[in-house]
């Protein structure tokens, strides 16, 4: 499982990018509660070294429906803050401390 992520559109803030990507990929309308840590890493793609930074945000659903998720994904679900580090893919699990450092609190269930 990977959290929604994407590249900002020119002139778009990190927060606006995060909100847009979550809505596009999950079908949910969300609001940002607070920023979490960012992670940075490098990788090589077709012989070019690429530096990437991923910014995490604690969010809660305020509308929409998981039924409207991007069909590129077989399964989409909303998980609690506590569940997220366990469910992250092994590729991102190395960086799951970014999820654990936020202030944990119970979030409402996603709308259906």
């Amino acid at each position: 499982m990977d959290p929604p992520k994407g590249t900002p559109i020119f002139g778009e803030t990190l927060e606006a990018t995060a909100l847009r990507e979550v809505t596009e990929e999950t079908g949910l309308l969300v609001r940002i509660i607070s920023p979490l840590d960012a992670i940075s890493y490098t990788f090589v793609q077709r012989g070019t070294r690429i530096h990437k930074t991923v910014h995490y945000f604690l969010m809660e659903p305020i509308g929409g429906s998981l039924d409207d998720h991007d069909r590129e994904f077989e399964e989409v679900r909303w998980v609690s803050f506590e569940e997220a580090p366990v469910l992250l893919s092994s590729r991102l699990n190395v960086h799951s401390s970014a999820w654990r450092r936020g202030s944990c609190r119970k979030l409402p269930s996603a709308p259906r």
Side-chain angles (χ1 to χ4, degrees):
M1 180 188 115
D2 285 344
K5 57 191 171 297
T7 303
I9 296 170
F10 181 77
E12 189 175 50
T13 65
L14 295 174
E15 294 82 1
T17 301
L19 294 170
R20 176 180 53 78
E21 288 292 336
V22 169
T23 298
E24 287 176 2
E25 294 183 18
T26 69
L28 297 176
L29 299 172
V30 296
R31 76 175 186 92
I32 295 173
I33 295 172
S34 65
L36 298 173
D37 287 353
I39 59 165
S40 293
Y41 58 95
T42 58
F43 60 97
V44 177
Q45 185 176 48
R46 293 188 286 273
T48 302
R49 179 175 291 281
I50 297 172
H51 177 80
K52 185 170 185 174
T53 301
V54 179
H55 300 269
Y56 293 101
F57 296 92
L58 182 61
M59 300 178 173
E60 68 179 343
I62 58 172
S65 171
L66 290 173
D67 294 332
D68 296 329
H69 72 85
D70 186 331
R71 297 300 171 206
E72 169 185 344
F73 306 102
E74 291 180 27
E75 178 185 6
V76 175
R77 60 184 165 150
W78 190 263
V79 298
S80 71
F81 183 82
E82 294 81 10
E83 291 175 280
V86 176
L87 296 175
L88 287 173
S89 71
S90 59
R91 180 174 60 80
L92 290 177
N93 202 26
V94 171
H95 306 292
S96 66
S97 63
W99 291 87
R100 290 192 290 268
R101 282 183 256 190
S103 58
C104 293
R105 67 182 212 170
K106 293 286 184 193
L107 296 179
S109 299
R112 286 301 296 164

